[in-house]
Amino acid sequence: MNQLAKFVSSICPATQNEAPPRKYGFRFDQRYNAFNERKNAFARLGIADPFFVPHDGVNNSTTKVDGREFINFASYNYLGLSGNKRVEAAAKAAIDRYGTSVSASRVVSGEIPLHRELELALANFLGAEDSVLYVGGHAANVSTIGHLFGQNDLILCDALIHNSIVEGCKLSGARRLSFRHNDLSHLEKLLQKHRPHFERVLIAIEGVYSMDGDIPDLPHLIDLKKKYDAALMVDEAHSLGVLGSSGRGVGEHFGVDPRDVDIWMGTLSKSLASCGGYIAGSREIIEFLKYTSPGFVFSVGMTPANVGAALAALKLLEEQPRLVETLQQRAALFLESAKSKGLDTGSSGGTPIVPVVIGDSALAVQLTQRLLLRGISVHPIIYPAVENHAARLRFFIAADHSEEQISYSVATTAEEYDRLRAGGRA
Ligand SMILES: Cc1ncc(COP(=O)(O)O)c(C=O)c1O
């Protein structure tokens, strides 16, 4: 032991009675070991790890990996606006004027005029009184739910609700119960049984479910929320710019009054080609969140480039509803073609998320790798993200996918899947 080490151990009891590494080393953590086990399974099966593969260029209907071009079904750039020249120019202009960071929370000195412009534009587009921006969609859900609800409240979530809502529920300390996916009679039973025992009840759903590509029965949910005096929150991450004739989302799709939903949430990272999240609703909720929600107050404001890009994308969406029409037409084409080839598309319907259910995680990964060899990039969704029997390939369709790209990709998927099941070689 050198002099310094002797000195440190003489004055620091913690180093004298050092605990054996098993006590604190993260590599001994049970969850880490379980994760590592799953990760190593790829190597054992002789399959390359499908995660964190770097793409080159814009992630739109095509992408480049290792210098090779692929037809791309792995990005939620639904309207192709990431990569759009006007959106890029707006992001660059915002950087030129305001820099790359607003360098403070908006509450103190991070506010720039673009923030409020985007909040008002979003509220106007959605038919809400006001909206508030967060730096991420995930952060928007965690912070909003975590802040608005508490121990005396109940949150009823669809069983397939996104992780960000689950995390928000945990943070809030409210009781969380799940109802079977899109099963509103189950939801009603839970409301009948539990409503009287809680102060406030929130029903949390998505406008389009991100794993299955199906849509909730929003008018019925509104009836239930009114009948049981509950609040309703809709996460529109995958329905903004996607559903409704002008892309206003699931509310427009069903023609409901936007004021019948208490909390509209959405992300800027999908149709709006940026990064960030929003909450839209009544003036009171938004004002309360802006002054008190920790994920807003104690976090930096959205970057100038991201606000500029989202504003430009929203303007384009308003000016060009044809984009939404094309997206819906391409999504319908993909679904019809997949069904006609006998692929199991689960409950997907009328949305640009089409799962091809394989029912086995290893097989799903193998199929994606065969498709890569045929020039198609699509991501496997495997255990533990879904149950093994529900393992799938998830296709995101975009407005800029051509009809030819869709026909080729569906036919190739069916062909490679048949070969794989028959035990054939790639
Ligand atoms: C339903 C849903 N909500 C919230 C989020 C989080 O949004 P973001 O990725 O923009 O943080 C996602 C992300 O994919 C999502 O699918």
Side-chain angles (χ1 to χ4, degrees):
M1 205 186 285
N2 65 26
Q3 289 304 312
L4 179 64
K6 270 192 193 149
F7 172 69
V8 169
S9 59
S10 70
I11 60 161
C12 177
T15 56
Q16 278 170 354
N17 304 317
E18 207 162 29
R22 280 193 73 81
K23 292 268 167 61
Y24 61 82
F26 196 70
R27 69 203 152 99
F28 298 109
D29 184 282
Q30 265 184 358
R31 288 171 311 150
Y32 177 72
N33 284 332
F35 149 78
N36 222 12
E37 192 53 31
R38 284 197 302 275
K39 196 159 176 280
N40 293 338
F42 290 121
R44 282 201 302 277
L45 290 166
I47 303 170
D49 184 340
F51 303 112
F52 296 102
V53 177
H55 287 237
D56 194 13
V58 177
N59 207 0
N60 54 20
S61 60
T62 57
T63 188
K64 267 194 192 152
V65 177
D66 277 340
R68 197 176 151 211
E69 188 162 284
F70 295 89
I71 306 172
N72 186 22
F73 293 96
S75 102
Y76 37 57
N77 186 5
Y78 291 122
L79 301 172
L81 293 179
S82 171
N84 176 284
K85 293 296 162 218
R86 250 174 76 183
V87 175
E88 286 177 357
K92 287 172 191 165
I95 289 178
D96 287 344
R97 181 147 190 182
Y98 301 105
T100 49
S101 171
V102 297
S103 308
S105 164
R106 285 176 56 196
V107 186
V108 278
S109 57
E111 182 85 4
I112 57 173
L114 292 180
H115 286 136
R116 197 64 194 131
E117 206 184 314
L118 179 57
E119 285 173 344
L120 293 174
L122 279 166
N124 182 45
F125 187 69
L126 298 167
E129 284 178 7
D130 205 348
S131 83
V132 53
L133 299 169
Y134 287 80
V135 288
H138 196 282
N141 272 337
V142 174
S143 195
T144 300
I145 299 174
H147 190 56
L148 291 184
F149 297 89
Q151 277 177 356
N152 300 329
D153 301 327
L154 169 68
I155 305 181
L156 294 166
C157 298
D158 186 283
L160 295 188
I161 204 73
H162 191 258
N163 166 273
S164 49
I165 291 188
V166 175
E167 297 299 328
C169 295
K170 286 187 205 163
L171 180 64
S172 73
R175 170 112 186 260
R176 179 172 70 90
L177 293 172
S178 291
F179 56 94
R180 286 188 291 273
H181 177 52
N182 271 342
D183 183 343
L184 300 193
S185 54
H186 187 210
L187 170 63
E188 181 154 21
K189 279 195 190 115
L190 292 177
L191 282 164
Q192 277 164 353
K193 184 168 171 198
H194 298 284
R195 177 66 192 97
H197 310 298
F198 291 89
E199 235 168 60
R200 285 174 310 161
V201 172
L202 174 72
I203 302 168
I205 58 159
E206 290 179 33
V208 166
Y209 284 90
S210 59
M211 291 292 172
D212 290 68
D214 51 1
I215 301 172
D217 181 350
L218 186 59
H220 191 174
L221 279 146
I222 290 173
D223 289 345
L224 286 178
K225 85 135 214 151
K226 286 182 176 166
K227 183 171 168 190
Y228 292 93
D229 194 18
L232 179 61
M233 173 172 188
V234 184
D235 177 334
E236 291 234 86
H238 297 273
S239 44
L240 181 83
V242 165
L243 292 185
S245 57
S246 58
R248 284 177 163 76
V250 67
E252 182 180 34
H253 175 85
F254 284 108
V256 303
D257 182 342
R259 289 168 302 184
D260 281 338
V261 170
D262 304 270
I263 303 172
W264 291 103
M265 177 273 167
T267 70
L268 309 175
S269 58
K270 297 169 173 75
S271 292
L272 295 184
S274 180
C275 183
Y278 66 81
I279 298 291
S282 70
R283 210 158 275 127
E284 299 82 56
I285 288 183
I286 301 308
E287 189 180 32
F288 182 64
L289 289 174
K290 283 182 84 163
Y291 278 89
T292 64
S293 109
F296 182 86
V297 175
F298 300 104
S299 182
V300 69
M302 261 183 81
T303 67
N306 283 320
V307 200
L311 250 175
L314 185 60
K315 279 185 193 147
L316 274 164
L317 172 57
E318 285 185 288
E319 280 166 28
Q320 299 179 25
R322 278 295 296 269
L323 276 174
V324 181
E325 199 186 315
T326 309
L327 172 64
Q328 292 171 353
Q329 187 265 333
R330 297 292 194 276
L333 175 67
F334 190 103
L335 185 65
E336 277 160 35
S337 315
K339 282 185 170 165
S340 75
K341 295 276 180 202
L343 295 170
D344 176 0
T345 54
S347 52
S348 173
T351 79
I353 298 177
V354 182
V356 168
V357 181
I358 305 297
D360 179 87
S361 294
L363 209 60
V365 176
Q366 281 171 308
L367 182 53
T368 56
Q369 302 214 322
R370 289 194 173 197
L371 292 177
L372 273 180
L373 295 173
R374 306 278 307 266
I376 300 162
S377 168
V378 56
H379 233 276
I381 307 288
I382 57 177
Y383 180 81
V386 292
E387 294 298 332
N388 193 46
H389 66 80
R392 70 214 32 215
L393 270 54
R394 177 175 54 174
F395 289 84
F396 286 117
I397 325 306
D400 56 352
H401 277 123
S402 69
E403 295 183 357
E404 293 70 36
Q405 285 173 328
I406 289 174
S407 308
Y408 166 77
S409 303
V410 172
T412 308
T413 303
E415 196 183 306
E416 289 297 341
Y417 186 28
D418 282 348
R419 275 203 209 158
L420 203 54
R421 277 189 297 189
R425 300 183 69 82

